[in-house]
Each structure stands twice: as structure tokens, then as C-alpha cells.
Amino acid sequence: MTESFNLYWIPLSPLVGAVFNLFFGAWLIRSLGERVGKEIVHLVAIGAVAFSCFFTFSLVSENLLSGTAPGGRVVQHAYTWIASGETDVGFDFVLDHLSAVMCMVITGVGLLIHIFSVGYMAHDHAYHRYFAYLNLFMAAMLTLVLGKSLVILFVGWEGVGLCSYLLIGFWFTDDEKATAGRKAFIVNRIGDFGVVLAMLIIYAVVGSLDFDRIAEFCAPGENSPFVVGTIFGVSLATVATMCLFLGCTGKSAQIPLYVWLPDAMAGPTPVSALIHAATMVTAGVYLIVRLNFLFALAPLTMAVIALVGALTAFFAATIGITQNDIKKVLAYSTVSQLGYMFLAVGMGAWVSAIFHLVTHAFFKACLFLGSGAVIEACHHNQDIQSMGGLRKKMPVTAWTFLISCLAISGIPPFAGFFSKDEILLHAYLNESQWSVAINYVGYGLGLAAAACTAFYMFRLYFLTFEGEFRGDHHTWDHYVREHWIMSLPLVILAGLATVGGFLGYPHALPGSHALPHAFDVWLAPIVELSESFTDPGIRLGLRPVAGVVEHGHVTALGEIAFMGLSVAVAATSIYVARALYKDGPSAVVERWLTIPAMAVAHRLSYGKYFVDEGYAYIISAVNMLGQVCYRFIDSVLIDGLGVGGTTGLVSFVGGGVKIWHNGNVRRYLATLLVGVGILLGSIYLNPMISKWGASPLNSVDAGGLRPTMGAQSIKMKILGLFEFDLPARSGEHPNRRPPQDGAEGNAP
Amino acid sequence: MVPITHFLYLSAALFLIGTVGVLMRRNVLIILMGIELMLNGANMALVTFSRMWGRLDGQVFAMFVIAVAAAEAAVGLAIVVSIFRTRNRSDVDDLSMLRD
Amino acid sequence: MMSAVELTFLAFAALAVFSAIVTMTRSNPVVAAVWLVASFFSVAVCYVLLSATFLAAIQVLVYAGAMMVLFVFVIMVLDVDESGRAEHRRPSPTARAGYFAAVGITVGFLIWVLTGTLARQYVTYGPPLELRDFGSADSLGRLLFYDYLFAFESVSFLLLAAVVGAVVVARSRRDREKEAVLRGFAGTERSAAGLDPDDLADEVLGHSPVPAHDFGAPSATGHDGGT
């Protein structure tokens, strides 16, 4: 199984690029001048990612597509990291179908974003640092998806969290941005706590964190130790997966830990595109799909995931309707779309989730990059209320943005239509082992969220690109324009968003023989374990609904019905949005807002439901604890007593001892003798060494150094090199005469 | 036959007298003489044990002690000379240069 | 009746101890030195009784001969004041107590150790001496130059260091400064005129013929070395 394909070059090459840029980037720019230095920096960065990209694609086509790799995957054991007793953790990488998909997306989209960044960050002072961090992020993310065990995954997990912090707070001299970075990291950490707990539980059951071992333990289905074993009556699978889900809510911005994602827009826009749209936030989804067999054993958790996902999708969508910052809208849109992915995994539709992940990467990245181009054009203005009419001067951006909006709204034939529709289908039709209500709630919320999505995306589009420019003329004349280097990735991504959907052509539709559902086929080996569970408590599959599901498959009629419904909803929303906003901010909406109910709703939505403020209130309690720790434990106890106390004690003792040193030689001599006396005493008065008789002045009894001192053998090894091996001496001293006067001899 | 322990008593006595002299006297030259007495006491013990075990190592050791004692006396006296040259007084209590 | 050996031992051991006590109680260092010589001689005799003949000779030559001569020379050079002014300063009661305590501890230990470890069965004369010339120069020399060669060479080094050290340490300040000046003093017409370099140096340094103050004075606070 283990072949030396050097998989580790995929994450290693961006890591090398990152290290190079960190160490030499600044020096290069300083010494070779801005143009040449920056050229080298971004060439190194892009080259590293390009290498990973091409290597990934070549590996996939060579080994996986052609079917030559054993077991359908490439495994590499790079390095034994921890070998302790029975624990053996290695840096094992695996390139199977799932990680191949993720790698291709990550490296492909990442490459495009690196290219975009060259244009976007062209005038930034910390050019090298940006590309270094970006490469570091790529390395961490690739480690995450290529890991063969939870440990390596977690290494990457933490790595992306770190890079997210570094990149969000990239312009850290601005307090607000630095705070946003910190918030992201801390909220992530709360989630990571869950992941660690889950890792511990899994390790306790399985004895290893390797995915293959975990799969073996989950294979028995309801008889697996994960289900049989319980904690407080709850099965181990449920506990572990709940903890993992906590981590996923942190990393993938679901309720309750989504609050960092909107603030993360403080970072540079390409960062938002890469991390908070295409890759990092999908790590949670990847984790769940990777461990789908474990999650399948815990129907309660699945229900929770589905509900949380659906709720988040709707919740975030309602917030997005009222936002005026172009990036914030996209941020909430991301949260909402991630909710869809979690809805999918919660219903057991693993493949759909990955499908949506991929298509979302395409159109969301395109959206973010487009917004980046717009922000650059409007001279770092992000408020859509002062934009408008940009299509005239930025046609490529406008068209790609439009395509992506259509994709995200779920309009055929663009990518989002196929993936989102599939999710909604499975939300309604997949059997939930918990309750059938989940289907209704999930589908209902999902559909409502789709409506909102279409609405706010087109509101965004119209307010930004259509109508008349509402900003100042200086900006319009001098800044609003397109750069080819920023438009190129947009075009590529928009193209992918157009055709990508056909990778998931539904079975039920006619023509599916010619164009099979690529993702279903590709990811079949990943999900086959969980799909194979037949025990009633954990079975996955479609529930029988008359007319729609027959023989365990969706009929063409059902498929088309669902499609029609979602397209209709989306089209309606788009129509409403167009009617309201096609000429700019809508007077109609202004009038509506005077109605008290609407005003309250608007206030709630605009204020993000005041969740942040609520959290701040909760945190203030923790903050108080922190203050106590700082003021008392740190300042008083540790600094005062610990450090200060130690030094004070030393000074005190020193001061005391100093009195004895008056320079009087005789005193020193006397002290010397007393010291000698003490030394001798420690030998002669020590019962372990010296043996005394009943009375020291009794000359009959023998006293003296114990013969046992020589009777022990001494074996020492110094530094592993020098060996001392002194054998025990017998009690007989070589020169000792046997006692002459018949007094008792010494017994050894 | 002199019991060999008597030699050890002699060595102890010499050492002791030397020690007392070193501690109680103030004249630095007398102190140095006391040190020589202590060394003699140690030498005596060494030679005694050498005789006891019938091995010459003790005597060799004693010879080294004599050599080192000579060197030490020379340097010590040189120091005394350099410190007390013009004072016409050799009171060790006057010395407090070792103080911090 | 005691044998000759026992008698000799008794006499000379007593002499050694007596001389030692007298040495330590004289106020005149020269007298003390002479009594110390007596003690050394007695110890040498005891060495002979222990079959350490060569060592006895060394003891007389080095200790009594060379070292005590050095002592006496130094006493003369220093021209120690005999008025005993210094000795009239009594140590404070605490200091006296301290010294007695130190002495007491040492004495106690010595007694304890000796009586404790010197039970007869441990300390006896060993097997009869194999060497006919135990303690002779020949046998000692063999040991010294075969087994203990390294130590021997090191000690010779040590002696060299001691000699050089003693010379360096005992130089007076005047000697030092003169040397420094002379080393850096290029020839001038005065030197060419045949004037004495020492006087020249003195003039340069501004020394009056009689040194006003010597180096190495203790701290300005004077006699705080007392207890």
C-alpha cells in the first residue's frame, strides 16, 4: 500500500515557498528594488503553488483516474513522528478520491487567487509577508486534506487557523483588523477543543487515530464499540461526533461559532476569497465526510448537524439582505452556503455536500475576487451605497459577477443550480433516523434561504454594477478600471462556475447515461461503508415518498418537480430584486421601512441579530476571571512572591551570610576548620557509612567505615559512552591480617 | 614493638597543635609555622600507614607533600613579605582585603 | 622494661610534641622557628623508627634545612617588631568563644575518629616487610620514577611555578615601577652620560630617595580587621 510517490511534496512545496519568502522576501525587495524584488517574491509563491497543482493533477491522472493505484489511492508514509510504546503516529499522507477532489480544488483555486493577489497587493508594503502567509496557508490546508490520520489532519487544522489569524490581521497596525484576527483565532480554538476531545475518545476506543483503523471499528455497524460503548447513557459515537461537530462549527462558521467570519473580512480580499470561501471553511465539511462512517453511527448528531446547518443557512441569509458592505454580504452568503453543506451531511448526503463544496468554491471565489476588483476600483471603498454603474467601465468583472450570482442563486445551467438542488432534494427525501420533521424543517429553511440568497445576491449585483455611479467623480475618472491580471482568474472561475455543475448531472434526468454523476461515481469508495449500513437505527437512504421515490431511487418526475420549485423561487427573488434595485437604492424599500414591524426586522437583520453583543456580554464574565488571574495570580503571586520572593530570599540570605565575610583571615580559617569538621561528621556520624559500637570509646567493639561501602558493585554509564563497572570487593581487605588477639573480626 | 597506633596519636597531636596555633595566634609567621606543623602531622600519618600496609606509596605521597609544602611556604612567605614590608608589624588582623 | 625502640619513640615523640607546643606559644618568631626545627628533627627520628629512612633524610634536609632557613630569612627581612604591641589586643569574647569552638570541634573529632577506628584488630602491623630495603632511596626512587612519574613531573612544574611566583610577588612597588620605566625608556643623553639608570628612573617618577609610602595598604578604614 505504501509507495514512494512523494506525496509530501504537495504540501511541502508551498511550505518551502513560505519559508523562502519569510526569510528572504524583505531582503530581496530591499536590495533588488521594488519591481524586481516583488517579481521574484510572487514568482516563488505562485511557482510553489503551481508545482503543487500540477503535481496533484498528474498524480491523480496517473494513479487514480487510470486505476493503477492499489485500492484506488496513493499512500505515503513520510516520517515516523511519534513512536512510543504501542502508539505509532507517522506523517502519513493519502491521496484517495476525496482528498484528490479537495487537493485539486485547493491548489487550482489557490493558484488563481495567488495570481489575482499579484494585482491586488501590488502596492502593499508587506508584499513578501503576504505571499509567505498565503503559501503557508496552502501548505497547512494541503496537510489537512492529505492526512491519513486525525493527527495530521489536526496539524493542518491548527495550521489553517493560525494562517487565518495571520492573514486576517495582516494590516495589524489597525486595531480593528488585529482584533478581528484575534477573534477568528480564539473562536476557532473553542472549536478545536471539541476536536481534541473527539480525538481522545476515538483514540480510547480504537487505539489509533488512523482513518482506516477507525473505519474498521465502525464497520460492524450497530455492534461497533462506538455504539455499544456509552458515556452517561449516550453512545460514544454520538459524543465523539458532537465534539467533532463543535470543531466544525468553529472552523466552518456555523451557529454558534460563526461570528468570526464576517469580521474576517478585515483581511485582504484575496484572503477572504481563498480562506473564507473556498478552502478553510470547508475543512469542517471535509472532516465530516472523511469520517462519514462514524457520523453515520450517530443519528442524533446527524439530526443536530442538519438542523444547525439549515438554521444557519436561513439565519445568515436574512442578515445578508440588509448589509451594505459588499464583503459582508458575501461573508454572510458564505455562512449560509456552508449551512447548506452541513444540511447535506446531516442528512447523509455526503456526495452532495462535496459537490456543493466544489461548486461553491468556484462561484464564491469568483464573487470575492470580483468584489476585490471592485474595491480596488472604488479606491478601497466597500460600501455599495456609493457604488453603481460599474458595468460600464468594468465589463469583465460585471459579467463574471453576474454569472456567479446566477450560479449561487441556483439558476440552470450554472453550477450552483445542480449542487444546491441536489442538497434540497436530499434534505427532503433522505431518511433521517431521528424524526421525519427534520426533513420538512430542513427543506423549508433551505428553500427560504435560497430565496433570500437569490434576493440579496442580485441586490448586491444591481447596486454595484447597474444604475448610475453614486460615488465621487474623481474616483470614477481615475480609479475605476480593470486590470488584466485580476480579470483573468475571474474569467477562469466564471467558466468553471458555468460548466462545473455538469459534474453532478442527476441520475434521474434523461441523458444521465451519457453524462453520469461524476461525483457519485468518484466518491463512491469513500462513502461505501456508511452507505452499507443496514441496521435500522443507522441506515442511510431515501425515504419512500409516493411518486417521488420508487425502488430507492428518485423518479424523473420528482427530480423535475423539485428543480422546478427551486428555480421558481430563485427566479421570483431575482425578479423582485431587479424590480427594487435596478436603478439604485430603492425608494420603495425606504417607504417600507417606515412601517414599524419592518423597521424592527430591518434593525435586527442589519445588526446581525446582536449576536456579537450577546457574546460580549457572556465573555465579560470570562474577562473578569482573566482580570483576576492577571492582577492577583500573575502580578502578585507569580511576579511578587515567586520571582520577587526568590530574589528577595536570595538577597536576604546573601545579606546574612555577608556579615561573616569581614576579611578577617583567622575567622576564615576557623570557618574552614568547622567546615572540615562538618565534612568528617557527615561521614563518621552517618550510620549508613560508619558503624559504631555501643560506645565510641569502648575499644572492644569495632567501629569504622562500613565494609559494605566496598561490597557494592557500581555500574555507571556516562553519556552512553563510558562505562564504569566496579565489581564488589569481598569484605576481606588485601592487606589485613587476621586478628591476632582473638578479638572479634569484622563480618563482611 | 611500638604499637602503631601510637604513631597515629602522635600525628594527631601534631596536627592538633598546629591547628590550635593557626587559630589562636595573630602573628602571620607563627601561623605559617603552624601550617607546617599540620603538614607534618599528616605526613606522619601517611608514613605510619605506609609502614602498616608494607607499601611504599604512602612514603611517596609524603614526599610529594613535603615538596608542595615547600612551594607553599615559599609563596606564602613572599606574600607576607609583599604585604607587610614596611609595616614592621605582622598582624594578620590588619588584613581585610578579602572582604567584599 | 621497654625496648630501645620503645624508649626512643617515647623520648622523641614527647620532644616533638613539646617542641610543637613551645613553638606555638612563643612571641618571638625566631625562637619559634628554632623550636620548630627541633620538632622537625624529632619527627625525622620517628620516621626512622617507621623504616622510612630516606624520608627522614629528606625531612631534615628540606624542612629543617631549607624551609626554616627561609623562614628565618624572612623574619629578618621583615624586622618584626617585638614589642608585642599587636599581641596586647585581646580578641573579643565572642571571637574567643568561636575559636575555642572550632578547636573543640576539631579536637573532638580527632579523638573520636582515632579511638573509634583504631581498634586493635584493624590497625596492626601488616605482614612482614617483603623488601629488605623498605623505605630506602632505591625502592622509593623506583616507585617514584615508574609508577608516579607524572606526579613527579607535575610537582617539579609546581616548584618552578612557586619559585617564579615568589619572586614576582615579593617585588616591591619601587622595583616594579622601575622595571616598567626602564623597559620603555629609550636611550637619552643622560643615559649616555653614564648616569645610574636607577636614579634616573627615580627622578622621572618623582620619587624621593626614601619611599614615602608603600603599596598594598589595606583599606583606608585601617584596623577593621580586628574581631
Side-chain angles (χ1 to χ4, degrees), chain A residues 466-486:
Chain A
E466 300 289 346
E468 291 300 322
F469 189 66
R470 296 180 291 279
D472 65 280
H473 288 288
H474 177 71
T475 314
W476 179 258
D477 295 329
H478 294 275
Y479 289 100
V480 177
R481 61 162 181 258
E482 283 184 328
H483 305 269
W484 71 269
I485 200 167
M486 294 207 275

Side-chain angles (χ1 to χ4, degrees), chain A residues 209-226:
Chain A
L209 287 167
D210 191 289
F211 292 129
D212 293 338
R213 301 282 93 68
I214 302 176
E216 278 171 26
F217 269 73
C218 293
E222 287 225 314
N223 301 321
S224 120
F226 278 110

Side-chain angles (χ1 to χ4, degrees), chain A residues 149 235 483 578:
Chain A
S149 70
S235 80
H483 305 269
R578 182 165 178 276

Side-chain angles (χ1 to χ4, degrees), chain C residues 191-209:
Chain C
S191 147
L195 287 171
D196 186 0
D198 285 346
D199 294 334
L200 262 173
D202 275 347
E203 267 182 64
V204 165
L205 293 169
H207 279 165
S208 53

